[in-house]
Amino acid sequence: MTRLPRGIGRLLAWTVPLDQQEPIAGDLLQEYVRLRHRRFAAGARAWAATWWSAVQLAASFMWERLRRDRTLPPIADEAPRRSSLWAALAQDASFGLRILRRQPGFASTAVAVLALGIGATSAMFSLVDAVLWRPLPYVHGDRIVSLGEQRPREGRWFGPIAPADFFDWRRDSRSFSAMAAYLVPPSGAYSLTGAGEPERVAALQVSPEFLTVLGITPFLGRDFRFDEDTVGRHRVALVSDGLWRRRFAADPAIVGRTVTFDRRTFEIVGVLPARFWWPTRPEVLVPLALDDHDRALRGAHFLGAAARLVSDTSIDRAREELRVISARLSQEYPLQNADHAANLLTLRDTLVGDVRPALNVLLGAVVCVLLIACANVAVLLLARATGRQKEVSLRCALGASRSRIVQQLMTESLVIAITGGAFGLVIAWSALGVVRGVLPAQFSGLPGITTAGLDPRVLAVTLGFSIATGIVFGIAPALASSDSRVIVGLGEEARGSTSSVRAQRWRSTLVIVELALSLMLLAGSALLLVSFNRLINVPPGFQPAQLVVSRIALPGVRYGEHAQTVAFFDALFDRLRTTPGVRRVASTTSLPLDGLDSRLDLVIEHRTPSPERGALTAHARLVSTDYFATLGIPLVRGRFFTEHDTESSVNVAIINAAAARRYWPGEDPVGRRISLGADDDWRQIVGVVGDTHHEGLDADVEPATYLPQRQVFSNLGSTFERTVTLVVRSANDGAANASIVRSAVSSVDPQLAIGSVRTMQEVIDESIAPRRLNFVLVSAFAFVAVVLTCAGLYGVMSYTVAQRTKEIGVRMALGASGRQVLGMIFRQAGWMTVAGIAAGIAGALALTRSISSLLFAVNADDPVIYGTVSVLLAAVTLVAVAVPASRATRIDPLTALRDY
Amino acid sequence: MTDPANLGEFEHVVLLAVLRLGDEGYAVAIRDEIEACTGRRASLGSIYVTLDRLETKGYLKSRFGDPTAIRGGRAKRYYALRPRAVTALRESRRALLQLWRGVHNVLAGTQ
């Protein structure tokens, strides 16, 4: 029995209310039979009669309806309709929605995949935008620069500045409208007492120009006066908006009140505006107020500096001017300034320098995931487009131009994409919350990181992403299915035919692209994994197990004298040593991997500084007698400190192996004499100890000196000297250690507050947290990418098998074995995999530069890693192909030939 | 009284075809009847649109017939005139005849 051509049936279903369809379908069938019979009788071939009759019928049915019925999608450019493009788009969109509602499985898959991709991209964009692109919260923030000291010979490009250099730079330069120095107090915070619970508040010591450089003024009260930058008049403070509201209940009369920081009284002279922001998040600003001795220091480098460029100067001109000034200073003070000079970076570069490559790689990775998501949806659409070929054919037959068809199909893609984008926003919103929660402490000083969120800018970009993805994944299917060469099959005979070669080629290309992108992500993730693994296996130079540490800041009021500090630690050590479970106890001014270290100029006896060699430097660390044994740092030569190294005995020092290698190559340094910083006495080297990593497990060990805590050494600065980390080696790992330390400290000085008690392993973990985050995030993206890619490959192969069922049935009927069929399917998947992997390797190699700065002890083009991930990806794709392949072998020739 | 101007030209033609077909007035037959009488080939689409409109305006009523084999077992939808359609046709015819009166001679040469 003749049936109504499927395309016409569908047209009817779309355009006519259900209750009216039956008689019209009857009419159409009757008409179709007549038309076909008439053509056949006139000598037309069967297929032509069928085809043309269907087209004619469709035309005769649709023409007038489309002219009148505005709820229908316009199908031809020539068709009269409400003319504007927007009306057409609206119609296409509502039509697209109707179609999607009819295919909930397809629609939800596509939307979910896109939501994942767009959500991840939006979240990452929001972070990158906040950190790298958004202007700093200052007026003309791009004119604010950071100053640092460079020592090219040591490979250091941006270090802290000696005070005398800073004052010379400020006096002689003309490129800056203001230049300010700042110093984070060694303990980082003051304890605020009086009026409520004692509280630690982050503090920053600044010179009076600081707010001028940032371009802000106090919201209440006044800025620091220049005369307040001198010792004696410096007991004034500016408090942050947050502290003002939290601690002082937003008291409008706060100016003039006094507060107590570290037991010293300060007068509050102003409140900072809410938009004040600085990486260390200070809540209190106090004057820097260096005394005359400190102001003249050229050998001790501890100041940070920021400046504002005058409006007509470029950063390069300012840098050049500072270079000239530095060169003159090098001539004037060859001993201290021989090989260092001023360096200038924009404030943003200083803040985000280390993070920028990581964020860029993460953004790249997430864009790869988005592209894979696009390719995946495109594959879905292509498969679906084949099913819609008759509809498209019909539209073409009715006079729709190719561009009109493409527009219709693209609108449907956009509907999918924008729906995906809407869900993506939800994902982005939750992802941002999670990411903000797991950010390592090192990232907390990044501009905008805490406020990164879904603001209008991110919303706009997400909409942009959605539209772009709609176009990207929609264009290939739209072009492929509107291709006139593909348009066949209005009539029934076209049913079951294999899909066109071109559509198949599109699908293969998309899967290859997905495979290539996945491989790139996998390779990146593997490189980071190997880096991370090598990093955590770097020996730190000490034994971290069973060590607990805690930072103690001794207030200057009661511990101003060296003897007081010594007495405190003697009492504390005695107390701790008698505590059960404590094996050793020590203290240091600079704990490995904890970020606090100070570098001083090093003078070696009988060695004249030469301009070629430049000034020598070394870190200086004050440690207690038992420090090396407590941390498990090995002795290389000479001896450790003993109880006899006191104030009354000869001054001694111990150096690390790196210092011995650099400054006494081929010699024995033990017995030589050195001095550190300005006006220091000679100190005899009594021992050489093993290297410990201080700046990071991935950084080279720098020359360092250790000085006994009992001997007076003033060049670190007194506050630095009083900020000490207590190190306890206990017999167990238990949480009891924290309370042991706390109770011991409070029994010696009940008024002393100590910082958190951490295990040494926690300190190490924190130092590698940014790398861990990079690795975890890239791996997560790579995992999603591989899953999506496998889904895509699975989809394509399933579709191919379904399409070729008849062919496979014929082959099997003619004697092909299941193994041969399997081979056929795997060959097809195999060449796609090989091509995808090859393209992926090429792409990854082209991008090695962008990731190499994140790697450690591994080459970005390591062939073993590429080989491994290629095999891994190939293995995973085999699994994805196995299911459709086995389905192909189970095809029953009889069923295949009958039903298809 | 129905305003004859309310009836479009093609609507007029379709109503007359339905009238001529009596009980057999469904879309394909109406289209064929129009072609047979006027030589004018209307598209099925335009027939449906016009029938819908006439039904909405209250000139036509429809009923479903019995399924037939040639239509794949689907029923036909038969249309019949409502009284106001008859009135309108009658009025329209009267108006046209009135207008024709006295102009036969002028057009005689062309016939």
mmCIF file of all heavy atoms in Angstrom, chain A residues 727-759:
data_model
loop_
_atom_site.group_PDB
_atom_site.id
_atom_site.type_symbol
_atom_site.label_atom_id
_atom_site.label_comp_id
_atom_site.label_asym_id
_atom_site.label_seq_id
_atom_site.Cartn_x
_atom_site.Cartn_y
_atom_site.Cartn_z
ATOM 1 N N VAL A 727 60.953 25.461 66.609
ATOM 2 C CA VAL A 727 60.915 24.167 65.925
ATOM 3 C C VAL A 727 61.034 23.077 66.981
ATOM 4 O O VAL A 727 61.978 23.081 67.766
ATOM 5 C CB VAL A 727 62.082 24.031 64.930
ATOM 6 C CG1 VAL A 727 61.909 22.781 64.082
ATOM 7 C CG2 VAL A 727 62.177 25.260 64.057
ATOM 8 N N VAL A 728 60.069 22.153 66.987
ATOM 9 C CA VAL A 728 60.078 21.091 67.983
ATOM 10 C C VAL A 728 60.050 19.750 67.268
ATOM 11 O O VAL A 728 59.194 19.518 66.414
ATOM 12 C CB VAL A 728 58.862 21.205 68.931
ATOM 13 C CG1 VAL A 728 58.833 20.024 69.894
ATOM 14 C CG2 VAL A 728 58.901 22.516 69.694
ATOM 15 N N ARG A 729 61.034 18.895 67.596
ATOM 16 C CA ARG A 729 60.965 17.530 67.066
ATOM 17 C C ARG A 729 60.409 16.645 68.164
ATOM 18 O O ARG A 729 60.967 16.575 69.254
ATOM 19 C CB ARG A 729 62.342 17.041 66.630
ATOM 20 C CG ARG A 729 62.294 15.620 66.058
ATOM 21 C CD ARG A 729 63.612 15.203 65.446
ATOM 22 N NE ARG A 729 63.953 15.951 64.244
ATOM 23 C CZ ARG A 729 63.427 15.709 63.036
ATOM 24 N NH1 ARG A 729 62.536 14.765 62.885
ATOM 25 N NH2 ARG A 729 63.788 16.435 62.006
ATOM 26 N N SER A 730 59.285 16.013 67.866
ATOM 27 C CA SER A 730 58.642 15.230 68.907
ATOM 28 C C SER A 730 58.747 13.758 68.559
ATOM 29 O O SER A 730 59.173 13.379 67.468
ATOM 30 C CB SER A 730 57.176 15.636 69.036
ATOM 31 O OG SER A 730 56.510 15.260 67.861
ATOM 32 N N ALA A 731 58.360 12.944 69.525
ATOM 33 C CA ALA A 731 58.471 11.504 69.318
ATOM 34 C C ALA A 731 57.280 10.966 68.528
ATOM 35 O O ALA A 731 57.293 9.844 68.062
ATOM 36 C CB ALA A 731 58.565 10.804 70.669
ATOM 37 N N ASN A 732 56.256 11.782 68.383
ATOM 38 C CA ASN A 732 55.067 11.282 67.681
ATOM 39 C C ASN A 732 54.508 12.371 66.771
ATOM 40 O O ASN A 732 54.924 13.525 66.825
ATOM 41 C CB ASN A 732 54.007 10.841 68.693
ATOM 42 C CG ASN A 732 53.818 11.893 69.754
ATOM 43 O OD1 ASN A 732 54.078 13.069 69.496
ATOM 44 N ND2 ASN A 732 53.399 11.496 70.936
ATOM 45 N N ASP A 733 53.555 11.979 65.938
ATOM 46 C CA ASP A 733 52.976 12.921 64.992
ATOM 47 C C ASP A 733 51.699 13.554 65.513
ATOM 48 O O ASP A 733 51.072 14.335 64.831
ATOM 49 C CB ASP A 733 52.661 12.203 63.672
ATOM 50 C CG ASP A 733 53.925 12.027 62.855
ATOM 51 O OD1 ASP A 733 54.745 12.954 62.880
ATOM 52 O OD2 ASP A 733 54.075 10.974 62.213
ATOM 53 N N GLY A 734 51.308 13.173 66.716
ATOM 54 C CA GLY A 734 49.950 13.469 67.167
ATOM 55 C C GLY A 734 49.611 14.944 67.246
ATOM 56 O O GLY A 734 50.466 15.823 67.240
ATOM 57 N N ALA A 735 48.309 15.198 67.338
ATOM 58 C CA ALA A 735 47.821 16.565 67.459
ATOM 59 C C ALA A 735 48.160 17.147 68.819
ATOM 60 O O ALA A 735 48.024 18.342 69.043
ATOM 61 C CB ALA A 735 46.312 16.599 67.241
ATOM 62 N N ALA A 736 48.638 16.287 69.737
ATOM 63 C CA ALA A 736 48.962 16.760 71.079
ATOM 64 C C ALA A 736 50.090 17.776 71.051
ATOM 65 O O ALA A 736 50.220 18.600 71.971
ATOM 66 C CB ALA A 736 49.347 15.577 71.960
ATOM 67 N N ASN A 737 50.913 17.733 69.977
ATOM 68 C CA ASN A 737 52.061 18.629 69.923
ATOM 69 C C ASN A 737 51.685 20.094 70.039
ATOM 70 O O ASN A 737 52.383 20.874 70.667
ATOM 71 C CB ASN A 737 52.821 18.407 68.618
ATOM 72 C CG ASN A 737 53.501 17.047 68.614
ATOM 73 O OD1 ASN A 737 53.984 16.602 69.650
ATOM 74 N ND2 ASN A 737 53.494 16.373 67.476
ATOM 75 N N ALA A 738 50.570 20.455 69.406
ATOM 76 C CA ALA A 738 50.168 21.854 69.426
ATOM 77 C C ALA A 738 49.933 22.321 70.858
ATOM 78 O O ALA A 738 50.410 23.381 71.273
ATOM 79 C CB ALA A 738 48.897 22.045 68.596
ATOM 80 N N SER A 739 49.241 21.485 71.639
ATOM 81 C CA SER A 739 48.943 21.933 73.001
ATOM 82 C C SER A 739 50.203 21.913 73.865
ATOM 83 O O SER A 739 50.348 22.741 74.766
ATOM 84 C CB SER A 739 47.838 21.062 73.603
ATOM 85 O OG SER A 739 48.265 19.723 73.583
ATOM 86 N N ILE A 740 51.122 20.988 73.563
ATOM 87 C CA ILE A 740 52.389 20.981 74.302
ATOM 88 C C ILE A 740 53.105 22.310 74.113
ATOM 89 O O ILE A 740 53.542 22.956 75.073
ATOM 90 C CB ILE A 740 53.283 19.816 73.810
ATOM 91 C CG1 ILE A 740 52.699 18.478 74.260
ATOM 92 C CG2 ILE A 740 54.715 19.974 74.333
ATOM 93 C CD1 ILE A 740 53.450 17.273 73.717
ATOM 94 N N VAL A 741 53.193 22.744 72.834
ATOM 95 C CA VAL A 741 53.900 23.988 72.527
ATOM 96 C C VAL A 741 53.197 25.167 73.186
ATOM 97 O O VAL A 741 53.824 26.001 73.849
ATOM 98 C CB VAL A 741 54.005 24.178 71.006
ATOM 99 C CG1 VAL A 741 54.542 25.568 70.691
ATOM 100 C CG2 VAL A 741 54.899 23.114 70.394
ATOM 101 N N ARG A 742 51.876 25.209 73.036
ATOM 102 C CA ARG A 742 51.138 26.345 73.596
ATOM 103 C C ARG A 742 51.310 26.431 75.112
ATOM 104 O O ARG A 742 51.544 27.507 75.668
ATOM 105 C CB ARG A 742 49.643 26.231 73.260
ATOM 106 C CG ARG A 742 49.331 26.671 71.870
ATOM 107 C CD ARG A 742 47.850 26.587 71.553
ATOM 108 N NE ARG A 742 47.676 26.603 70.119
ATOM 109 C CZ ARG A 742 47.795 27.704 69.387
ATOM 110 N NH1 ARG A 742 48.060 28.853 69.965
ATOM 111 N NH2 ARG A 742 47.654 27.656 68.079
ATOM 112 N N SER A 743 51.185 25.293 75.767
ATOM 113 C CA SER A 743 51.239 25.367 77.229
ATOM 114 C C SER A 743 52.647 25.730 77.687
ATOM 115 O O SER A 743 52.818 26.458 78.669
ATOM 116 C CB SER A 743 50.757 24.058 77.845
ATOM 117 O OG SER A 743 51.696 23.048 77.558
ATOM 118 N N ALA A 744 53.666 25.260 76.939
ATOM 119 C CA ALA A 744 55.032 25.614 77.325
ATOM 120 C C ALA A 744 55.249 27.115 77.186
ATOM 121 O O ALA A 744 55.798 27.762 78.092
ATOM 122 C CB ALA A 744 56.026 24.855 76.449
ATOM 123 N N VAL A 745 54.794 27.689 76.066
ATOM 124 C CA VAL A 745 54.989 29.124 75.859
ATOM 125 C C VAL A 745 54.241 29.916 76.920
ATOM 126 O O VAL A 745 54.779 30.847 77.528
ATOM 127 C CB VAL A 745 54.529 29.541 74.444
ATOM 128 C CG1 VAL A 745 54.499 31.059 74.315
ATOM 129 C CG2 VAL A 745 55.452 28.950 73.392
ATOM 130 N N SER A 746 53.009 29.520 77.217
ATOM 131 C CA SER A 746 52.239 30.328 78.158
ATOM 132 C C SER A 746 52.760 30.157 79.588
ATOM 133 O O SER A 746 52.583 31.035 80.425
ATOM 134 C CB SER A 746 50.748 29.998 78.064
ATOM 135 O OG SER A 746 50.537 28.708 78.555
ATOM 136 N N SER A 747 53.445 29.022 79.862
ATOM 137 C CA SER A 747 53.997 28.882 81.203
ATOM 138 C C SER A 747 55.214 29.779 81.384
ATOM 139 O O SER A 747 55.513 30.214 82.491
ATOM 140 C CB SER A 747 54.363 27.424 81.478
ATOM 141 O OG SER A 747 55.526 27.091 80.761
ATOM 142 N N VAL A 748 55.913 30.077 80.257
ATOM 143 C CA VAL A 748 57.075 30.964 80.366
ATOM 144 C C VAL A 748 56.632 32.423 80.341
ATOM 145 O O VAL A 748 57.119 33.252 81.102
ATOM 146 C CB VAL A 748 58.083 30.674 79.231
ATOM 147 C CG1 VAL A 748 59.235 31.674 79.278
ATOM 148 C CG2 VAL A 748 58.606 29.257 79.351
ATOM 149 N N ASP A 749 55.711 32.760 79.426
ATOM 150 C CA ASP A 749 55.199 34.134 79.347
ATOM 151 C C ASP A 749 53.707 34.068 79.060
ATOM 152 O O ASP A 749 53.294 33.915 77.908
ATOM 153 C CB ASP A 749 55.924 34.905 78.239
ATOM 154 C CG ASP A 749 55.438 36.361 78.166
ATOM 155 O OD1 ASP A 749 54.386 36.677 78.757
ATOM 156 O OD2 ASP A 749 56.120 37.163 77.506
ATOM 157 N N PRO A 750 52.878 34.156 80.100
ATOM 158 C CA PRO A 750 51.425 33.959 79.917
ATOM 159 C C PRO A 750 50.794 34.993 78.979
ATOM 160 O O PRO A 750 49.724 34.755 78.432
ATOM 161 C CB PRO A 750 50.871 34.116 81.337
ATOM 162 C CG PRO A 750 52.041 34.052 82.244
ATOM 163 C CD PRO A 750 53.236 34.451 81.474
ATOM 164 N N GLN A 751 51.463 36.135 78.806
ATOM 165 C CA GLN A 751 50.843 37.182 77.987
ATOM 166 C C GLN A 751 51.168 37.050 76.504
ATOM 167 O O GLN A 751 50.684 37.812 75.686
ATOM 168 C CB GLN A 751 51.303 38.553 78.477
ATOM 169 C CG GLN A 751 50.710 38.912 79.815
ATOM 170 C CD GLN A 751 51.300 40.190 80.329
ATOM 171 O OE1 GLN A 751 52.483 40.266 80.637
ATOM 172 N NE2 GLN A 751 50.480 41.216 80.403
ATOM 173 N N LEU A 752 52.024 36.089 76.202
ATOM 174 C CA LEU A 752 52.504 35.991 74.821
ATOM 175 C C LEU A 752 51.543 35.145 73.974
ATOM 176 O O LEU A 752 51.169 34.045 74.359
ATOM 177 C CB LEU A 752 53.895 35.339 74.833
ATOM 178 C CG LEU A 752 54.727 35.518 73.581
ATOM 179 C CD1 LEU A 752 55.045 36.987 73.373
ATOM 180 C CD2 LEU A 752 56.013 34.719 73.711
ATOM 181 N N ALA A 753 51.151 35.705 72.845
ATOM 182 C CA ALA A 753 50.305 34.939 71.928
ATOM 183 C C ALA A 753 51.200 34.312 70.866
ATOM 184 O O ALA A 753 52.129 34.951 70.383
ATOM 185 C CB ALA A 753 49.285 35.850 71.272
ATOM 186 N N ILE A 754 50.956 33.058 70.525
ATOM 187 C CA ILE A 754 51.751 32.466 69.454
ATOM 188 C C ILE A 754 50.867 32.193 68.256
ATOM 189 O O ILE A 754 49.642 32.098 68.359
ATOM 190 C CB ILE A 754 52.450 31.158 69.894
ATOM 191 C CG1 ILE A 754 51.435 30.058 70.199
ATOM 192 C CG2 ILE A 754 53.355 31.407 71.075
ATOM 193 C CD1 ILE A 754 52.090 28.700 70.366
ATOM 194 N N GLY A 755 51.513 32.095 67.098
ATOM 195 C CA GLY A 755 50.776 31.814 65.866
ATOM 196 C C GLY A 755 50.326 30.362 65.860
ATOM 197 O O GLY A 755 50.491 29.640 66.845
ATOM 198 N N SER A 756 49.742 29.939 64.735
ATOM 199 C CA SER A 756 49.255 28.569 64.665
ATOM 200 C C SER A 756 50.433 27.604 64.707
ATOM 201 O O SER A 756 51.527 27.923 64.269
ATOM 202 C CB SER A 756 48.469 28.374 63.368
ATOM 203 O OG SER A 756 49.305 28.647 62.280
ATOM 204 N N VAL A 757 50.187 26.445 65.279
ATOM 205 C CA VAL A 757 51.217 25.412 65.331
ATOM 206 C C VAL A 757 51.009 24.497 64.129
ATOM 207 O O VAL A 757 49.942 23.907 63.960
ATOM 208 C CB VAL A 757 51.116 24.615 66.650
ATOM 209 C CG1 VAL A 757 52.172 23.523 66.675
ATOM 210 C CG2 VAL A 757 51.263 25.550 67.826
ATOM 211 N N ARG A 758 52.005 24.415 63.251
ATOM 212 C CA ARG A 758 51.877 23.610 62.044
ATOM 213 C C ARG A 758 52.934 22.513 62.044
ATOM 214 O O ARG A 758 53.976 22.656 62.682
ATOM 215 C CB ARG A 758 52.092 24.484 60.800
ATOM 216 C CG ARG A 758 51.071 25.572 60.637
ATOM 217 C CD ARG A 758 51.369 26.400 59.416
ATOM 218 N NE ARG A 758 52.608 27.166 59.567
ATOM 219 C CZ ARG A 758 53.231 27.760 58.547
ATOM 220 N NH1 ARG A 758 52.753 27.651 57.331
ATOM 221 N NH2 ARG A 758 54.332 28.435 58.756
ATOM 222 N N THR A 759 52.657 21.441 61.333
ATOM 223 C CA THR A 759 53.724 20.470 61.146
ATOM 224 C C THR A 759 54.594 20.952 59.992
ATOM 225 O O THR A 759 54.147 21.722 59.132
ATOM 226 C CB THR A 759 53.175 19.077 60.802
ATOM 227 O OG1 THR A 759 52.576 19.156 59.517
ATOM 228 C CG2 THR A 759 52.144 18.625 61.824
#
